[in-house]
Amino acid sequence: MRSRFKKWALPFIEEHEEITLSLPFEDKTFFESAPLYLEIGSGKGDFIVSLAERHPENHYLAVERDVSSLGTLAKKIVEKELTNVKIVYQDFDKVAPELPKEGFKTIYLNFSDPWPKKRHSKRRLTAKPRLETYLSLLEKGGELRQKTDNEGLYEFTKEEVEGTAFINLVDEKDYVFDEENDAMSEYERNFRSEGKPIYRLIYKK
Ligand SMILES: C[S@@+](CC[C@H](N)C(=O)[O-])C[C@H]1O[C@@H](n2cnc3c(N)ncnc32)[C@H](O)[C@@H]1O
């Protein structure tokens, strides 16, 4: 679901150059100076902000193409004065070629759009060509972590992973939230409050 259009979001993002990375990335220091984590489709950002607060030793990159959601995330980063999260306002497919190869410890996909119609399956974030991209971006032993409320997307990911170099570590149909090692996104909080089961997959490169 698209968030309500927020007029202030783009000016706010543009005004806060200290948290924004724009294509082409000229200064790559952020990628090179700490262990690096990527979230694709961060939405309003509760997940990545929570991880970044708990792990100041890491760097977190949020890629989001919806300006209104990203505006909300940007506000949280600024208000909390976090220096270890950067945002990119762009579609992931355009960002991917600019990202450091084998540069990421983990890639997170939280409640990605399921695109339920078969003719839209190529848009899903776990379509095979994107999985190959994730493999190129992850360091050896790095992880792809997906959570979803959507059984169809969960099954699709498992099918698409077949024949790739990913090794399955976790496959859960009713994931009990791991407070210590995980964080909750806005969508996860909503789905849990409705009593919906959460599907979780973790793969290792
Ligand atoms: C269903 S929302 C979930 C938001 C958040 N991850 C959560 O769990 O609360 C999916 C988000 O992914 C973003 N998104 C989908 N495809 C994307 C892409 N190719 N590049 C960047 N963002 C994308 C959408 O704009 C949307 O904000």
Side-chain angles (χ1 to χ4, degrees):
M1 200 200 308
R2 213 161 270 273
S3 71
R4 189 192 294 257
F5 182 73
K6 295 174 186 133
K7 247 203 287 221
W8 55 266
L10 188 57
F12 186 87
I13 290 165
E14 286 173 345
E15 188 188 320
H16 287 280
E17 283 180 0
E18 77 282 9
I19 62 161
T20 306
L21 293 178
S22 305
L23 296 177
F25 302 138
E26 267 146 34
D27 181 2
K28 303 208 165 145
T29 328
F30 185 76
F31 299 146
E32 289 156 4
S33 46
L36 194 56
Y37 294 78
L38 170 67
E39 186 184 19
I40 306 166
S42 304
K44 295 178 184 165
D46 274 1
F47 175 84
I48 204 159
V49 162
S50 169
L51 287 188
E53 282 183 297
R54 277 149 55 192
H55 296 285
E57 73 281 12
N58 295 334
H59 281 177
Y60 294 89
L61 186 68
V63 177
E64 174 55 62
R65 66 182 180 190
D66 177 65
V67 72
S68 300
S69 305
L70 194 60
T72 303
L73 166 55
K75 264 196 172 172
K76 289 174 188 164
I77 300 170
V78 171
E79 279 165 14
K80 290 174 186 283
E81 299 182 8
L82 293 171
T83 55
N84 62 336
V85 196
K86 300 253 189 223
I87 57 170
V88 186
Y89 170 37
Q90 190 55 270
D91 190 288
F92 172 72
D93 291 343
K94 297 221 170 76
V95 182
E98 294 283 325
L99 295 172
K101 297 274 172 274
E102 308 213 322
F104 292 87
K105 294 225 165 268
T106 304
I107 298 175
Y108 298 102
L109 302 174
N110 292 314
F111 303 87
S112 308
D113 300 308
W115 294 109
K117 291 189 179 134
K118 198 163 182 229
R119 69 173 191 277
H120 291 151
S121 60
K122 289 200 172 99
R123 299 183 189 177
R124 297 176 194 148
L125 284 177
T126 48
K128 211 183 254 303
R130 288 195 191 89
L131 292 177
E132 293 298 344
T133 302
Y134 305 152
L135 279 164
S136 75
L137 297 177
L138 285 168
E139 61 179 43
K140 197 167 173 3
E143 290 179 2
L144 174 68
R145 289 177 167 246
Q146 180 175 45
K147 291 188 281 181
T148 179
D149 63 304
N150 188 286
E151 188 174 14
L153 183 61
Y154 156 83
E155 295 292 354
F156 176 80
T157 299
K158 298 209 306 181
E159 282 163 26
E160 295 293 284
V161 161
E162 295 267 314
T164 73
F166 275 122
I167 299 160
N168 181 249
L169 298 182
V170 171
D171 178 347
E172 293 173 300
K173 285 187 161 187
D174 195 359
Y175 162 50
V176 176
F177 188 68
D178 175 2
E179 194 94 38
E180 205 177 315
N181 303 300
D182 198 6
M184 218 179 271
S185 71
E186 285 81 358
Y187 271 69
E188 180 163 2
R189 190 163 294 112
N190 289 342
F191 289 131
R192 286 194 183 276
S193 73
E194 290 167 14
K196 288 198 175 162
I198 305 300
Y199 299 81
R200 183 165 84 138
L201 291 166
I202 302 180
Y203 293 99
K204 185 173 134 179
K205 173 174 166 182

